[in-house]
């Protein structure tokens, strides 16, 4: 079951990358370069796409494991091919960053994005990023108790 889920995830990631490759140039015309730069700065400040760094390695690992499970006699070829394809796809990670920046630029003004970046790059913003999840858990626990 896990392998099927992993294979589906791999297929989804590859399909998303293909869509990004085709749609990226058309969407880029909607946003100025300075607006896109502000969006990238905001994304970097909130670490919005950091958790996506593991998508490609995880998908490659899952695909490798599934292929080897089905064809153990081809382990060497599978290892080599999956590694080569993973390396070939790695530069496409920038496409995801670009698409994320476009999404933010369509929702937030350039001024908003600059304000977001300035706040989250400040000491208070960094504290909110690091300690915010802890506070959220505590508030959720309090709400659960209150609900009971």
């Amino acid at each position: 079951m896990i392998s099927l889920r992993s294979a589906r995830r791999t297929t989804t990631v590859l399909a998303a990358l293909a869509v990004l490759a085709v749609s990226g140039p058309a969407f880029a015309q909607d946003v100025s370069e300075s607006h896109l730069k502000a969006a990238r700065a905001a994304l970097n400040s909130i670490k919005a796409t950091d958790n996506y760094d593991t998508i490609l390695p995880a998908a490659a690992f899952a695909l490798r494991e599934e292929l080897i499970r089905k064809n153990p006699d081809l382990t060497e070829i599978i290892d080599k091919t999956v590694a080569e394809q993973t390396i070939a796809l790695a530069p496409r990670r920038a496409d995801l960053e670009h698409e994320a920046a476009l999404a933010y630029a369509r929702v937030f003004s350039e001024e908003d994005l600059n304000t977001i970046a300035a706040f989250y790059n400040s000491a208070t913003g960094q504290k909110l990023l690091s300690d915010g999840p802890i506070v959220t858990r505590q508030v959720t626990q309090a709400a659960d108790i209150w609900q009971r």
Side-chain angles (χ1 to χ4, degrees):
M1 186 65 155
I2 292 173
S3 295
L4 180 58
R5 212 174 321 157
S6 296
R8 285 183 185 153
R9 187 176 303 133
T10 302
T11 303
T12 302
V13 169
L14 294 175
L17 287 172
V19 168
L20 288 175
V22 173
S23 64
F27 289 134
Q29 298 168 359
D30 301 338
V31 178
S32 72
E33 193 57 40
S34 64
H35 196 166
L36 198 57
K37 184 178 178 183
R40 285 188 177 123
L43 283 169
N44 288 339
S45 70
I46 62 175
K47 300 171 180 30
T49 60
D50 286 3
N51 58 340
Y52 299 126
D53 289 343
T54 60
I55 290 175
L56 184 58
F61 178 78
L63 179 61
R64 177 192 168 280
E65 292 298 306
E66 183 170 341
L67 291 173
I68 289 173
R69 185 177 51 79
K70 291 179 179 179
N71 304 290
D73 55 318
L74 299 175
T75 299
E76 188 176 319
I77 294 170
I78 291 168
D79 281 340
K80 181 179 183 240
T81 304
V82 170
E84 287 171 355
Q85 293 305 309
T86 301
I87 291 168
L89 285 172
R92 300 294 309 275
R93 174 64 170 80
D95 294 341
L96 178 58
E97 293 292 328
H98 182 74
E99 195 62 31
L102 284 172
Y104 270 75
R106 287 190 197 102
V107 174
F108 297 100
S109 71
E110 187 173 341
E111 183 180 341
D112 290 340
L113 291 164
N114 287 327
T115 302
I116 290 167
F119 172 74
Y120 281 102
N121 284 323
S122 73
T124 303
Q126 290 298 303
K127 183 164 179 64
L128 179 60
L129 286 173
S130 66
D131 296 345
I134 296 166
V135 174
T136 300
R137 274 194 304 275
Q138 292 172 350
V139 171
T140 300
Q141 289 171 348
D144 289 345
I145 292 168
W146 181 80
Q147 181 181 8
R148 284 187 229 130

